[in-house]
Amino acid sequence: MKTLVVGVGGMTNGGKSTLSKSLHQLLPNSCLIAQDSYFKEDSVVPVDNNGFKQYDRLSALHMDTMMSEVHSWQRDPESFLRKRDLNPAETTPTNVYVLIVEGFLIFNHRPLNDLFHKRYFLEIPHDVCKRRRSSRVYDPPDPPGYFDGYVWPMYLKNRLEMESMVSGIVILDGLKPKDQLLEAVCKDVCHKIDRLREKDRKSGTPLKMVTAAVDENYLML
């Protein structure tokens, strides 16, 4: 059994959730863990000097719980899928299980970043990001001035921190068509899957079967 951990990061409203969910639908034996599911309760998130809630920090997330889930998948990905009613494909010696981890600070948490085999980061311009953010409803809702006074400055800060500690990130243009982004990432991940299968292949199943199966699913979207 081989495993592959894929990180899909990026700025708020950059398209990382859409890409991750679509990739999960395409890849056999894949599982998706989203960082947004591990936010702490609003009551324990501190505010800055401007009265803005400091959500865009690792300290606002239950990262220990998130890492526990990731490690649980690593120990037994097949059981992990079954417990979540995600039936794995028929097991073969050359199966590759894929974990897709999505979130805005996944590359800033070193213990998590060290696990990734592939890293993708979606970015969009400031004005597009602000417009998309303003069109969404959050709980709690963004207060007036929150984007320019907190969200964007923290994105720039976190981006610099990420770039100082992480290498091998593929930067993706979030303005490109969704299907084009999905196709590019899917082909790249499938290439990695084929390489893993090739290293420890024990059956006569042609390597092209994985990519071909994914391509067929892609055409159905």
Side-chain angles (χ1 to χ4, degrees):
M1 182 187 299
K2 296 285 187 178
T3 59
L4 178 67
V5 185
V6 177
V8 180
M11 59 207 306
T12 179
N13 291 276
K16 56 188 180 297
S17 295
T18 300
L19 175 60
S20 299
K21 291 175 182 178
S22 298
L23 188 63
H24 168 47
Q25 292 175 359
L26 290 180
L27 296 177
N29 294 325
S30 67
C31 184
L32 174 60
I33 291 179
Q35 193 174 40
D36 282 357
S37 301
Y38 300 92
F39 272 113
K40 295 178 180 178
E41 293 185 0
D42 180 67
S43 60
V44 302
V45 177
V47 298
D48 63 12
N49 293 332
N50 296 313
F52 294 138
K53 284 282 188 175
Q54 300 182 61
Y55 275 106
D56 292 16
R57 298 176 181 271
L58 285 170
S59 58
L61 295 149
H62 291 290
M63 290 307 300
D64 288 345
T65 304
M66 184 177 182
M67 291 302 299
S68 177
E69 285 284 280
V70 172
H71 291 317
S72 177
W73 176 88
Q74 284 184 303
R75 286 191 295 271
D76 192 341
E78 187 174 357
S79 295
F80 191 92
L81 290 176
R82 293 190 187 282
K83 288 178 181 178
R84 286 153 183 78
D85 295 324
L86 298 171
N87 295 324
E90 183 178 352
T91 303
T92 69
T94 56
N95 267 9
V96 176
Y97 287 84
V98 182
L99 176 63
I100 304 164
V101 182
E102 175 262 314
F104 70 116
L105 288 177
I106 58 173
F107 302 130
N108 294 72
H109 188 58
R110 193 177 296 277
L112 178 58
N113 176 66
D114 289 344
L115 302 179
F116 293 125
H117 300 96
K118 304 292 295 186
R119 301 174 179 86
Y120 305 96
F121 188 91
L122 282 145
E123 62 178 9
I124 54 177
H126 170 275
D127 59 329
V128 178
C129 186
K130 184 176 182 178
R131 184 170 64 251
R132 289 183 182 179
R133 176 99 182 191
S134 65
S135 67
R136 294 184 62 184
V137 178
Y138 291 89
D139 184 19
D142 285 351
Y146 191 60
F147 183 85
D148 286 320
Y150 179 75
V151 174
W152 188 259
M154 283 303 299
Y155 160 69
L156 296 177
K157 179 179 181 296
N158 291 328
R159 174 73 178 261
L160 286 175
E161 179 184 80
M162 177 191 75
E163 291 174 343
S164 70
M165 60 184 285
V166 183
S167 60
I169 297 181
V170 177
I171 304 297
L172 302 174
D173 182 357
L175 295 182
K176 289 185 176 181
K178 297 176 183 178
D179 57 348
Q180 184 177 337
L181 289 170
L182 177 59
E183 182 177 18
V185 172
C186 190
K187 285 183 177 180
D188 192 37
V189 172
C190 286
H191 178 67
K192 181 66 174 180
I193 290 174
D194 284 349
R195 290 178 61 188
L196 288 172
R197 286 167 58 94
E198 188 173 13
K199 288 181 180 180
D200 194 35
R201 191 160 64 98
K202 298 178 181 178
S203 72
T205 305
L207 294 177
K208 292 296 183 181
M209 281 190 64
V210 175
T211 305
V214 171
D215 286 344
E216 182 180 353
N217 290 333
Y218 178 75
L219 294 173
M220 294 172 62
L221 289 184

